[in-house]
Amino acid sequence: MKKLLYISISILSLSCKAQNPVYDITDLQHRVEDIHGAYYKDINNLLNPFEGTYIFEKNENSLFKIVLQKKIMSSMNGYLFEDLIIGEYQYIENGLEKVNTLNKLEIYDSNKRNHSIDGNLIITLGSVGCNDCQPGEKAIRGGLVDGSSNYTADLIIRRMIVNGQSAIKIWVGWRTGTSIYGQPAPASPSFKGTYYTLIKQ
């Protein structure tokens, strides 16, 4: 009987060791270590409140629409896994649609980082990009890819209340486009890099 109990405990301990480690997405120490098979999980559901459809309307001819969704256990290459916010957007200026990537939400892609918006770095007051955050506030730092040019941007997403309505305030900071000598300059981004406040629908 003791022998059977010893074998059972040995098998159980080996199977526990074989499981991939799970870390909270806020655990930056383990994120830096880049551990094969690790799962960076949104243990405290910090990403959930950011989900939704948000709209900024400058006037009846100009609209900025963003749809954000939380994705669970996404993997870029099977090396590691993570929970993250992904999104797509539409931008209309003076009645002209400059970019619309919303249809990409309907396309399955195992690598959720291929979406136009992605991120899961939780930042708080004092973090770069969160200098004017409120104490205890959690914001997301991520990235944005322009759907009509090769520009990429740093993106900060903050939650707030505007006139009693849930909203997000985003900051878009376009990175400088690179040009090749003798080639035409890269196209400009579809919209201006600045702050936008979008109301949840």
Side-chain angles (χ1 to χ4, degrees), residues 131-157:
N131 295 333
D132 58 344
C133 289
Q134 300 300 311
E137 179 183 350
K138 307 280 191 289
I140 297 175
R141 185 179 183 103
L144 183 145
V145 177
D146 186 23
S148 64
S149 73
N150 291 325
Y151 277 83
T152 59
D154 290 320
L155 180 70
I156 305 292
I157 308 171

Side-chain angles (χ1 to χ4, degrees), residues 1-17:
M1 186 65 172
K2 286 183 180 178
K3 193 173 190 178
L4 182 59
L5 182 61
Y6 175 76
I7 292 171
S8 298
I9 290 172
S10 297
I11 291 171
L12 182 62
S13 67
L14 285 174
S15 66
C16 289
K17 287 180 183 175

